[in-house]
């Protein structure tokens, strides 16, 4: 118990940096190579930021900007829209081994009324490790059960979850059953049909039928779970469905059609490329599983995880990258490098950037304000000394969320400075 208490005190001691104040002075960024996030680039850009919004983005060779309060020279540097991490549990778990700091799932099978945003901790130390790599927004999503709960989208520089919200209750997460079961371990797996698959699908359909009947009928007796399903039919909420295999994804398409669901997104979707045409025809997007992963089958192309996004993009499917899985919160900082890997395996660099910017914003329904550097959108962006999709060169010098210049300090940067000073001091002593 003493050890756990010490761990909690340690993490509290290194809490997140103080959130930046609201923008009050206009800012002009000049000379940078602007990657707009929509596939376009401006080599010698001028970007005006006023009252938290992008007043204009233009070619510095074609226009002379007006007077601003603050000027930032980005010559030789690169400017990007803030990256977005979908299907994330940032802020829901701090220390995996400490149950009191783990709030990513609830008991029960059908929990659409469980709102992950309530448990979101803005002072998570892990969150501040993602910001220095350009991740400024995240979809905070629940785990567990058949219907896990409702997600919300936040910006990662806030005092509390109320201040952090970008879009509240944006979608419901459903864990689709698998059509087979696996046992026997990784070395000698035994794959068998899931005998309860049809029964599990029926349970899902019954729940949707019952919730629709409630929402269209007498609501004198309030049901919070069914109330949380409101919005799926009219498209004001998305339905995010965790699924991997071809058979399950085909069944999801039929489910979408039967229930007249406008906005459905496959989460994971490792074998979605096998039915890409079907997904395109039915306007179903994909949040593709972590790119830096091993193949799922021993007899498939070992490089498939790297190529997967390109196959889907080439088929016209709206694709973005997600990061769920082992050590998912700590791995969030690697999101831009997943996009970089996709670029290395065939997707043009600016199109790969869209996998973590505008495509993600479109899927999450926040593209009117985020995801690209365009006039009228939120000034959520950063300046990097190099290629933000390359871990060797992505060194961020300035960063903004809604026009507020945020701190890029973290526990890691504090340690770096501390020990850099220590070894510098020791070196001077040896020289003397």
């Amino acid at each position: 118990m003493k050890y756990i208490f010490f761990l909690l005190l340690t993490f509290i001691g290194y809490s997140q940096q103080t959130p930046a104040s609201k923008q009050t002075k206009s800012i002009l960024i000049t000379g940078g190579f602007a990657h707009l996030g929509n596939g376009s680039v401006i080599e010698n850009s001028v970007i005006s930021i006023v009252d938290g919004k992008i007043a204009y983005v233009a070619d510095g060779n074609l226009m002379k900007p007006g007077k601003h309060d603050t000027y930032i020279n980005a010559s030789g540097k690169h400017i990007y829209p803030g990256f977005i991490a979908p299907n994330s549990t940032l802020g829901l778990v701090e220390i995996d081994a400490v149950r009191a700091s783990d709030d990513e799932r609830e008991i029960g099978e059908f929990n659409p009324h469980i709102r992950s945003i309530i448990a979101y901790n803005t002072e998570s130390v892990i969150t501040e490790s993602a910001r220095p790599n350009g991740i400024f927004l995240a979809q905070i999503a629940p785990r567990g059960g058949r219907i896990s709960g409702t997600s919300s989208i936040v910006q990662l520089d806030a005092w509390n979850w109320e201040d952090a919200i970008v879009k509240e209750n944006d979608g419901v997460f459903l864990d689709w059953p698998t059509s087979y079961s696996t046992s026997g371990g990784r070395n000698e797996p035994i794959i068998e049909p899931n005998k309860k698959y049809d029964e599990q699908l029926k349970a899902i359909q019954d729940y949707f039928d019952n919730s629709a009947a409630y929402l269209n009928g007498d609501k004198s007796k309030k049901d919070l779970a069914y109330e949380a399903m409101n919005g799926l039919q009219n498209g004001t909420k998305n339905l995010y469905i965790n699924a991997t295999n071809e058979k399950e994804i085909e069944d999801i398409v039929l489910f979408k059609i039967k229930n007249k669901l406008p906005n459905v997104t496959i989460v994971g979707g490792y074998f979605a490329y096998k039915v890409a045409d079907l997904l395109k025809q039915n306007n179903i997007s994909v949040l593709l599983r972590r790119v830096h992963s091993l193949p799922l089958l021993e007899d498939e192309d070992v490089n498939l995880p790297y190529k997967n996004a390109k196959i889907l993009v080439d088929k016209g499917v709206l694709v973005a990258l997600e990061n769920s899985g082992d050590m998912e919160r700590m791995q969030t900082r690697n999101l831009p490098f997943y996009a970089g890997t996709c670029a290395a395996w065939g997707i043009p660099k600016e199109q790969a950037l869209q996998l973590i910017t505008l495509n993600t914003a479109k899927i999450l329904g926040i593209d009117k304000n985020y995801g690209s550097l365009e006039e009228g959108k939120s000034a959520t962006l950063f300046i990097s000394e190099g290629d933000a999709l390359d871990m060797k060169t992505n060194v961020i010098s300035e960063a903004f969320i809604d026009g507020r210049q945020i701190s890029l300090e973290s526990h890691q940067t504090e340690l770096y400075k501390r020990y850099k000073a220590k070894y510098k001091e020791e070196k001077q002593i040896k020289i003397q």
Side-chain angles (χ1 to χ4, degrees):
M1 181 62 71
K2 289 182 179 179
Y3 176 67
I4 293 174
F5 182 68
F6 172 76
L7 277 176
L8 289 173
L9 283 180
T10 300
F11 275 83
I12 291 171
Y14 292 108
S15 60
Q16 192 177 31
Q17 297 296 318
T18 301
S21 301
K22 185 177 179 180
Q23 181 187 6
T24 57
K25 295 183 178 181
S26 60
I27 300 169
L28 185 70
I29 304 173
T30 62
F33 193 103
H35 304 260
L36 303 188
N38 58 10
S40 301
V41 296
I42 301 176
E43 292 190 12
N44 179 29
S45 66
V46 286
I47 301 176
S48 173
I49 304 175
V50 180
D51 294 331
K53 298 286 187 179
I54 297 175
Y56 57 80
V57 181
D59 188 330
N61 297 319
L62 301 178
M63 76 164 292
K64 185 177 180 180
K67 185 177 179 181
H68 287 69
D69 298 315
T70 304
Y71 296 87
I72 298 175
N73 184 357
S75 297
K77 298 182 180 181
H78 296 257
I79 307 169
Y80 294 87
F83 300 150
I84 308 168
N87 188 31
S88 171
T89 54
L90 276 175
L92 298 183
V93 184
E94 199 65 17
I95 308 171
D96 289 312
V98 179
R99 182 65 186 89
S101 74
D102 186 336
D103 207 359
E104 67 179 353
R105 67 184 66 228
E106 294 290 338
I107 60 173
E109 282 293 292
F110 294 93
N111 295 316
H113 57 302
I114 299 300
R115 301 169 62 235
S116 58
I117 189 64
I118 298 297
Y120 175 64
N121 173 24
T122 57
E123 296 191 1
S124 170
V125 178
I126 305 169
T127 297
E128 72 175 22
S129 73
R131 297 193 307 181
N133 277 354
I135 296 97
F136 297 160
L137 296 124
Q139 179 193 37
I140 308 305
R143 300 284 188 263
R146 184 62 66 201
I147 295 182
S148 306
T150 298
S151 59
S152 292
I153 302 160
V154 300
Q155 51 87 4
L156 303 183
D157 184 64
W159 286 103
N160 49 56
W161 65 262
E162 292 94 340
D163 293 341
I165 287 176
V166 167
K167 186 177 182 181
E168 190 171 6
N169 303 332
D170 73 289
V172 173
F173 272 74
L174 167 62
D175 193 10
W176 199 262
T178 58
S179 58
Y180 64 87
S181 60
T182 304
S183 60
R186 187 176 182 86
N187 294 329
E188 297 182 4
I190 300 172
I191 301 176
E192 299 176 322
N194 177 7
K195 296 178 181 179
K196 295 185 177 180
Y197 183 67
D198 290 339
E199 177 185 332
Q200 291 165 340
L201 292 192
K202 184 178 183 303
I204 294 172
Q205 186 59 60
D206 287 346
Y207 195 85
F208 272 73
D209 289 342
N210 292 337
S211 66
Y214 167 82
L215 293 170
N216 294 322
D218 180 15
K219 300 181 188 177
S220 56
K221 187 177 181 181
K222 201 171 187 67
D223 189 303
L224 292 178
Y226 287 156
E227 289 278 350
M229 300 287 282
N230 192 24
L232 293 177
Q233 265 73 30
N234 63 19
T236 56
K237 278 185 184 176
N238 290 0
L239 181 61
Y240 300 94
I241 305 180
N242 291 287
T244 299
N245 300 300
E246 180 182 0
K247 161 67 175 170
E248 286 88 289
I249 295 172
E250 288 177 336
D251 288 340
I252 288 169
V253 173
L254 295 175
F255 181 79
K256 176 187 188 294
I257 295 171
K258 180 178 180 179
N259 292 278
K260 299 178 180 179
L261 301 169
N263 298 325
V264 171
T265 297
I266 303 295
V267 180
Y270 186 76
F271 292 112
Y273 72 92
K274 294 186 176 182
V275 289
D277 291 333
L278 189 62
L279 296 177
K280 170 65 176 176
Q281 291 165 12
N282 289 277
N283 194 32
I284 296 177
S285 54
V286 176
L287 290 177
L288 191 61
R289 63 172 277 158
R290 189 184 298 172
V291 173
H292 292 177
S293 300
L294 293 173
L296 292 185
L297 301 177
E298 62 181 16
D299 60 346
E300 70 188 22
D301 183 354
V302 69
N303 296 315
L304 181 58
Y306 311 144
K307 300 176 180 178
N308 218 336
K310 176 173 170 52
I311 299 171
L312 290 167
V313 168
D314 287 349
K315 288 286 188 176
V317 178
L318 180 60
V319 182
L321 303 182
E322 61 106 13
N323 180 60
S324 60
D326 294 339
M327 299 181 67
E328 63 181 88
R329 289 163 295 281
M330 290 70 85
Q331 294 273 19
T332 303
R333 64 183 182 270
N334 290 324
L335 185 66
F337 312 136
Y338 300 158
T341 298
C342 293
W345 285 87
I347 297 182
K349 182 62 73 72
E350 298 306 320
Q351 202 170 15
L353 175 64
Q354 291 179 263
L355 299 176
I356 54 173
T357 54
L358 189 57
N359 284 12
T360 313
K362 287 179 178 178
I363 291 172
L364 302 184
I366 58 172
D367 53 302
K368 288 185 178 180
N369 291 311
Y370 297 93
S372 60
L373 303 178
E374 298 180 70
E375 182 178 334
K377 287 193 173 185
S378 167
T380 297
L381 53 92
F382 64 89
I383 303 172
S384 175
E385 294 181 10
D387 182 352
L389 306 190
D390 182 353
M391 65 177 66
K392 293 186 295 183
T393 61
N394 184 26
V395 179
I396 298 179
S397 54
E398 284 89 18
F400 302 86
I401 293 180
D402 297 328
R404 300 175 294 112
Q405 187 161 12
I406 66 170
S407 170
L408 294 170
E409 293 296 313
S410 68
H411 180 38
Q412 285 76 21
T413 58
E414 289 178 6
L415 289 175
Y416 168 76
K417 292 175 182 177
R418 176 183 176 186
Y419 286 102
K420 183 179 180 181
K422 173 181 182 292
Y423 288 115
K424 183 178 180 181
E425 182 179 322
E426 289 182 352
K427 185 177 180 180
Q428 289 174 342
I429 292 173
K430 287 180 181 179
I431 292 174
Q432 293 173 357

